[in-house]
Amino acid sequence: MNHYHYTTYARRPDLMEAARRVNGSVWPEFMFHDAVADRLWDRLEGTLADYQTLWFGENERVVAVGNTVPLVWDGALDQLPIGWDDAFERAVNDYDAGREPTTLCAIQATVDRSLQGNGLSRMVLRGMRQRAAEAGLPTLIAPVRPTLKSQYPLTPMERYMLWTQPDGSPFDPWLRTHWR
């Protein structure tokens, strides 16, 4: 995986459109109708562009994207954001209020569909940790959204989260990546 180069939207705004295509090609349709994302997503490409990572290879083809937001979190478990949308709102509010962030929070990690299953998601997570360190943020948190849950709409999330493979690892591939 050393043949991929890491950068941020702020450093390479010319690659943002390609990053949008990678993000847009991966998610199920319902993901494109979220009130928080609709209201705040442009902040990722504007005021928070330095926290949006991407990887590109030959011919500057973007292969993966890691969207994160810096926020204030005191380390208390009961103060964790409820989910990515809560984290996103808190981050924007913190930024607008001029509060110094203490934590980087993952919003999403996407890998070009044609390259999924090749370990690139771990590269994205490592890049998020690297970006946190570069920004002087000692903690990376990640509200995890199972990637296959939408294929089982009648199964309650509480039950889906307990599904495992024969080796005991989580059934869902994204949960399995974090579990490893």
Side-chain angles (χ1 to χ4, degrees), residues 45-93:
E45 296 178 359
T47 55
L48 301 174
D50 199 38
Y51 297 95
Q52 312 321 309
T53 55
L54 56 88
W55 290 258
F56 59 95
E58 289 182 31
N59 302 321
E60 299 199 337
R61 176 183 172 217
V62 174
V63 298
V65 178
N67 297 116
T68 60
V69 292
L71 54 85
V72 176
W73 177 53
D74 65 7
L77 292 180
D78 65 343
Q79 296 301 309
L80 277 168
I82 295 170
W84 73 270
D85 48 352
D86 182 38
F88 203 166
E89 290 187 296
R90 285 167 62 171
V92 167
N93 290 337

Side-chain angles (χ1 to χ4, degrees), residues 4-161:
Y4 294 116
H5 306 280
Y6 159 90
T7 192
T8 68
Y9 287 13
R11 292 179 204 142
R12 292 294 307 269
D14 58 305
L15 295 177
M16 264 195 264
E17 184 57 40
R20 283 186 208 117
R21 281 193 297 278
V22 170
N23 280 342
S25 70
V26 174
W27 296 112
E29 178 62 28
F30 78 88
M31 295 293 293
F32 297 102
H33 306 284
D34 182 87
V36 173
D38 289 347
R39 186 167 36 85
L40 299 177
W41 199 264
D42 65 326
R43 297 292 294 267
L44 297 180
E45 296 178 359
T47 55
L48 301 174
D50 199 38
Y51 297 95
Q52 312 321 309
T53 55
L54 56 88
W55 290 258
F56 59 95
E58 289 182 31
N59 302 321
E60 299 199 337
R61 176 183 172 217
V62 174
V63 298
V65 178
N67 297 116
T68 60
V69 292
L71 54 85
V72 176
W73 177 53
D74 65 7
L77 292 180
D78 65 343
Q79 296 301 309
L80 277 168
I82 295 170
W84 73 270
D85 48 352
D86 182 38
F88 203 166
E89 290 187 296
R90 285 167 62 171
V92 167
N93 290 337
D94 288 342
Y95 181 89
D96 290 347
R99 290 186 284 270
E100 193 67 32
T102 59
T103 301
L104 193 62
C105 181
I107 296 298
Q108 73 170 348
T110 53
V111 173
D112 183 286
R113 189 173 300 284
S114 68
L115 297 170
Q116 290 178 356
N118 292 306
L120 296 180
S121 60
R122 286 188 293 280
M123 176 183 74
V124 174
L125 292 174
R126 283 192 304 272
M128 289 176 173
R129 285 196 307 265
Q130 178 181 339
R131 186 63 203 105
E134 291 168 354
L137 302 173
T139 305
L140 172 69
I141 57 176
V144 180
R145 181 186 314 114
T147 55
L148 296 182
K149 174 61 178 89
S150 63
Q151 295 178 18
Y152 304 92
L154 301 179
T155 302
M157 182 65 81
E158 295 77 19
R159 191 167 70 199
Y160 179 85
M161 298 293 289

Side-chain angles (χ1 to χ4, degrees), residues 161-172 175-176 179:
M161 298 293 289
L162 298 175
W163 291 359
T164 59
Q165 298 195 114
D167 68 357
S169 65
F171 165 77
D172 189 89
L175 296 179
R176 201 166 42 250
W179 180 81

